[in-house]
Amino acid sequence: MKALNVVVLFIVIMVFSNTVVATSDSYDQKLDELSEVVHSKPDRTLTLIEELSSAKDELTSDQHSRLLVLQSVQHLYGGKFAEAITKLKQAESLNPPKTLRNSIYLYQASAYLGQHEYQQALDVMSTNLSRIEEIEDTEIKISSYLRLVNLYLDLQAYSEMSRYAELALMLSHGNSAKNECYSLLYLAVAELKTQNLEMAESRFKNSRDFCQLNNLPVIVAMSKKGLGDVAIKQGNYALAEKYLLQALEEYRPFKFQIEIDSTHSLLSETYLGLLQTEKAQEYAGLVMKLPDEPINLSYKKRATKVLAELASERGEHAQAYQYLSQHQNITNTLLDDTKAKANAYQMAKFENGEKSREINLLNHERELYTAREQMRALKRNNDRMGLLIVGGGFVLLAMFAIAITGQKRKYKKLAQNDPLTGILNRGTAQNMAENRYIKDTFKSLEFSVIMFDVDHFKRVNDNFGHATGDWVLKHVCETILKNCRSSDIFTRFGGEEFVLFLPGTDAETAQKIAEQHRLAIAAMDTKYSGRDFTLSGSFGVTSSSSADLSLDPLLHRADIAMNYSKGNGQNRVTLYTPEIGLSRSPAFIVKPDESPSEFVERTQVEG
């Protein structure tokens, strides 16, 4: 899932490497050269850093700041995020110029993202965002927009990511081929993340061709890797192999290890699809040798799945069990990380709203203080008039308190609800559902989950436009809400995918509820959208078991059942069964309460 997220880290480094302001000193030439080679020639980078570091006593304060920033860039490439933050704070302490300070903040956010410290990254960005619109230099403004795109990508806020990438593309078009190239790649990544594979393929080809024309070879390699990822998801493994091997060869001269590791993990999956087991084993093995650091988890998730399937095919069930257990542990870690991102993002939005309201409140309090002083002066001249003014002041205070309360409710709703459909957003709904699930578990009540998405939604967007697609999402939500019970928790899970959490509900009842919702969607009249087309939904249903410790296993099973519905004609409801779970993956699935010996015994019989 995160294989392409490292793309944005590299882009940010390249974008901002050239925004450092030069002075007139003789060392500026070396600093300028270092700005150019830091993202393409690691050997020359080391040489220049050593030369400049040995002469740092002769550098001006601004030059020393530049050197520290460029050293932090080198650390970012190597995944040494703590060292990068240390260098950037040293550079900030030297009171650098405004444009260099802008780069420092943006690099700090990149480093915090690399460490998965999302709240710190958001705080740094919040500090710098107010400055971005005041920047007159278009190049720096574009770079800042691209950095903001990177932040939204890592937070999985893909609609916001696309919006700022479009802004960067508009400003850079015809002015900066380099930034236009980065913007095109970001837009392609956004389409891939939202599973719009045809559009992603088209955009990756555009970025590949444009960046090749403008001599940006690393971004060309990233575009090819993106095309390889798309081909894997489309099941075209031969095409995936072609793109990924090309990308790998183009990364190696730059020693861009993060992207090389990502490509190795994709190649392991590709060769598994091509039934070339030795190569699949080889590339998966390269990934498994990587340190157990956060940045490598997504690669290891893919590799462990490949290795589990290879072991299962060889009949080595105990080995398959070990790899599957490792795969599940990594998956749980990544899910927790996703929750942390969502919570940090929602909290940042809420806190920014609170800060704005606090400022407004302070302004109002200052105005009220002035009013009180005026009232005291009037009281000395006319007690009766003073009393009237005081009475009016109480009314004003009451009205102000009512207004503040209304504003708090408004911003709380904005922080908790999906902006398009108005239903609960994913983070809020999952927190509510987890709390209710824990209560139901203590009461020995069943808990069910329904997951569904709108069939052929991409076709609606492609044929009738995104405005019609938005109409569909809004009215599907309205239709579902009409049939929801007061205890049901309904959320938009992403794109055209939705989830219903059903507290105190068994599997049979949940299946009936899902069927009611399916029929309601199929009966929707689309003529009010201005177009004539048919709607339907594919549903997956599952219920809790004694082995489930959280909602994550239920969501996973509901997703499998939903995909089973989609793969078997769509417009249907599927209740999850272990047989369906096994049919969705060549590898055997580890049961939550199963020991290694029980797993081996069962898989030998079932295999």
Side-chain angles (χ1 to χ4, degrees):
M1 205 46 199
K2 294 184 185 175
L4 270 169
N5 283 24
V6 294
V7 169
V8 295
L9 176 61
F10 177 80
I11 290 175
V12 170
I13 294 170
M14 292 181 70
V15 168
F16 293 114
S17 290
N18 296 318
T19 63
V20 182
V21 179
T23 69
S24 58
D25 195 90
S26 59
Y27 289 106
D28 287 340
Q29 186 175 357
K30 286 187 177 180
L31 286 166
D32 290 339
E33 183 185 356
L34 180 57
S35 296
E36 291 294 331
V37 303
V38 70
H39 51 262
S40 59
K41 298 177 181 178
D43 294 337
R44 181 58 179 159
T45 297
L46 286 171
T47 301
L48 285 170
I49 286 177
E50 288 175 3
E51 291 177 6
L52 289 164
S53 296
S54 64
K56 70 178 182 180
D57 292 338
E58 302 174 25
L59 301 178
T60 65
S61 176
D62 288 353
Q63 288 172 335
H64 192 195
S65 295
R66 281 188 74 188
L67 175 60
L68 289 167
V69 171
L70 292 168
Q71 284 177 306
S72 76
V73 172
Q74 183 195 27
H75 289 318
L76 287 172
Y77 274 130
K80 299 177 180 177
F81 302 115
E83 290 90 334
I85 291 170
T86 299
K87 293 292 183 185
L88 291 165
K89 288 185 176 179
Q90 290 173 358
E92 186 181 4
S93 69
L94 295 174
N95 194 27
K98 184 187 294 184
T99 50
L100 181 56
R101 187 177 293 273
N102 182 63
S103 296
I104 289 170
Y105 286 135
L106 295 167
Y107 282 134
Q108 282 179 347
S110 292
Y112 282 127
L113 285 174
Q115 290 183 315
H116 291 201
E117 296 177 6
Y118 304 114
Q119 193 61 56
Q120 288 91 329
L122 284 162
D123 289 343
V124 171
M125 284 302 298
S126 178
T127 302
N128 203 37
L129 276 175
S130 59
R131 298 182 175 93
I132 292 176
E133 294 304 324
E134 300 173 2
I135 296 173
E136 295 181 1
D137 190 310
T138 303
E139 181 81 10
I140 296 176
K141 183 173 285 190
I142 295 169
S143 300
S144 300
Y145 280 145
L146 290 173
R147 180 64 195 83
L148 191 58
V149 170
N150 171 49
L151 179 66
Y152 281 122
L153 171 56
D154 206 65
L155 292 170
Q156 300 177 10
Y158 302 125
S159 59
E160 291 294 319
M161 172 192 171
S162 295
R163 184 159 70 91
Y164 282 98
E166 290 284 4
L167 280 174
L169 181 63
M170 180 179 65
L171 288 175
S172 59
H173 184 64
N175 296 316
S176 171
K178 177 184 66 177
N179 287 329
E180 188 170 350
C181 178
Y182 303 149
S183 302
L184 289 170
L185 182 64
Y186 271 127
L187 289 168
V189 173
E191 298 293 349
L192 178 62
K193 292 295 184 182
T194 52
Q195 300 299 311
N196 295 327
L197 299 182
E198 291 182 10
M199 182 62 73
E201 182 179 18
S202 175
R203 286 193 182 276
F204 276 124
K205 287 180 177 178
N206 287 342
S207 65
R208 176 198 62 187
D209 296 342
F210 183 84
C211 299
Q212 194 153 13
L213 184 64
N214 288 278
N215 194 29
L216 290 160
V218 178
I219 310 300
V220 173
M222 290 176 175
S223 300
K224 290 179 179 179
K225 195 192 78 170
L227 286 167
D229 201 348
V230 171
I232 290 173
K233 289 178 170 59
Q234 292 174 332
N236 191 343
Y237 297 108
L239 184 60
E241 179 191 25
K242 170 190 167 186
Y243 283 130
L244 293 172
L245 289 177
Q246 288 178 2
L248 191 60
E249 284 303 309
E250 292 167 19
Y251 282 138
R252 281 174 176 156
F254 298 96
K255 299 181 180 178
F256 194 3
Q257 195 58 46
I258 295 174
E259 279 293 284
I260 290 171
D261 295 338
S262 170
T263 308
H264 285 165
S265 71
L266 291 169
L267 279 167
S268 71
E269 186 175 351
T270 299
Y271 283 119
L272 180 67
L274 291 170
L275 303 180
Q276 297 184 29
T277 56
E278 289 185 5
K279 287 187 176 181
Q281 185 86 30
E282 175 189 352
Y283 282 107
L286 290 173
V287 174
M288 295 307 293
K289 291 178 182 177
L290 298 173
D292 289 328
E293 296 175 356
I295 199 166
N296 296 325
L297 286 183
S298 59
Y299 316 146
K300 290 196 170 187
K301 177 185 175 182
R302 182 180 286 111
T304 51
K305 185 178 180 182
V306 170
L307 290 169
E309 295 192 17
L310 291 172
S312 178
E313 289 174 5
R314 294 193 301 266
E316 298 173 358
H317 300 302
Q319 187 70 44
Y321 176 90
Q322 291 178 4
Y323 283 127
L324 279 172
S325 296
Q326 193 172 355
H327 176 77
Q328 289 176 346
N329 289 335
I330 293 172
T331 299
N332 291 335
T333 300
L334 292 174
L335 282 172
D336 291 340
D337 185 52
T338 298
K339 288 180 184 177
K341 291 177 185 177
N343 290 337
Y345 180 48
Q346 295 298 334
M347 184 59 69
K349 289 201 297 185
F350 184 74
E351 286 179 352
N352 284 337
E354 286 293 320
K355 286 177 183 176
S356 298
R357 287 194 295 280
E358 286 174 6
I359 291 170
N360 291 333
L361 182 60
L362 288 171
N363 290 334
H364 280 292
E365 286 178 348
R366 187 169 60 248
E367 292 171 5
L368 287 171
Y369 175 79
T370 303
R372 291 192 195 101
E373 291 299 310
Q374 291 174 346
M375 283 191 288
R376 289 192 182 98
L378 288 170
K379 188 177 184 302
R380 286 192 291 267
N381 297 320
N382 192 325
D383 289 342
R384 185 177 180 182
M385 182 64 70
L387 290 172
L388 290 174
I389 293 174
V390 170
F394 280 122
V395 173
L396 178 62
L397 285 170
M399 293 175 64
F400 178 66
I402 292 169
I404 287 294
T405 301
Q407 285 293 308
K408 285 185 177 180
R409 289 175 180 169
K410 175 183 175 183
Y411 281 102
K412 184 177 180 182
K413 183 177 180 181
L414 286 173
Q416 293 180 340
N417 291 72
D418 176 60
L420 175 63
T421 62
I423 64 175
L424 292 174
N425 61 36
R426 179 173 178 172
T428 302
Q430 278 197 250
N431 285 337
M432 292 172 61
E434 287 281 5
N435 291 334
R436 185 57 189 271
Y437 176 79
I438 292 169
K439 293 177 182 178
D440 284 6
T441 300
F442 279 123
K443 295 177 183 178
S444 298
L445 297 175
E446 289 190 65
F447 192 105
S448 295
V449 173
I450 298 173
M451 184 178 290
F452 73 94
D453 72 1
V454 181
D455 296 330
H456 305 299
F457 181 73
K458 184 179 183 302
R459 192 182 300 170
V460 173
N461 273 335
D462 291 346
N463 292 340
F464 307 125
H466 288 278
T468 303
D470 290 347
W471 183 93
V472 168
L473 296 177
K474 291 176 184 177
H475 285 77
V476 163
C477 290
E478 290 176 6
T479 300
I480 297 297
L481 285 171
K482 288 177 184 177
N483 296 287
C484 277
R485 304 171 301 178
S486 60
S487 61
D488 295 346
I489 301 170
F490 183 33
T491 178
R492 183 181 180 189
F493 222 56
E496 69 274 21
E497 188 172 280
F498 300 88
V499 169
L500 278 155
F501 298 102
L502 310 179
T505 305
D506 59 27
E508 183 179 355
T509 304
Q511 192 172 8
K512 290 178 181 178
I513 291 171
E515 182 62 17
Q516 291 173 1
H517 290 322
R518 184 191 68 80
L519 293 171
I521 292 174
M524 284 177 59
D525 190 348
T526 62
K527 67 181 180 183
Y528 298 107
S529 71
R531 305 286 185 174
D532 187 16
F533 54 93
T534 302
L535 282 176
S536 64
S538 296
F539 289 73
V541 181
T542 191
S543 290
S544 58
S545 70
S546 59
D548 295 327
L549 301 179
S550 71
L551 285 178
D552 291 335
L554 279 79
L555 288 167
H556 179 63
R557 297 198 298 269
D559 182 61
I560 290 174
M562 181 188 70
N563 287 321
Y564 188 90
S565 291
K566 293 187 73 66
N568 288 269
Q570 302 185 331
N571 191 24
R572 59 178 288 171
V573 175
T574 298
L575 177 65
Y576 177 86
T577 63
E579 291 74 22
I580 289 175
L582 286 171
S583 72
R584 303 301 294 171
S585 172
F588 291 98
I589 295 175
V590 180
K591 296 180 179 179
D593 57 349
E594 190 173 38
S595 69
S597 60
E598 289 171 336
F599 174 84
V600 172
E601 182 179 353
R602 176 175 61 80
T603 52
Q604 285 174 341
V605 174
E606 293 180 359

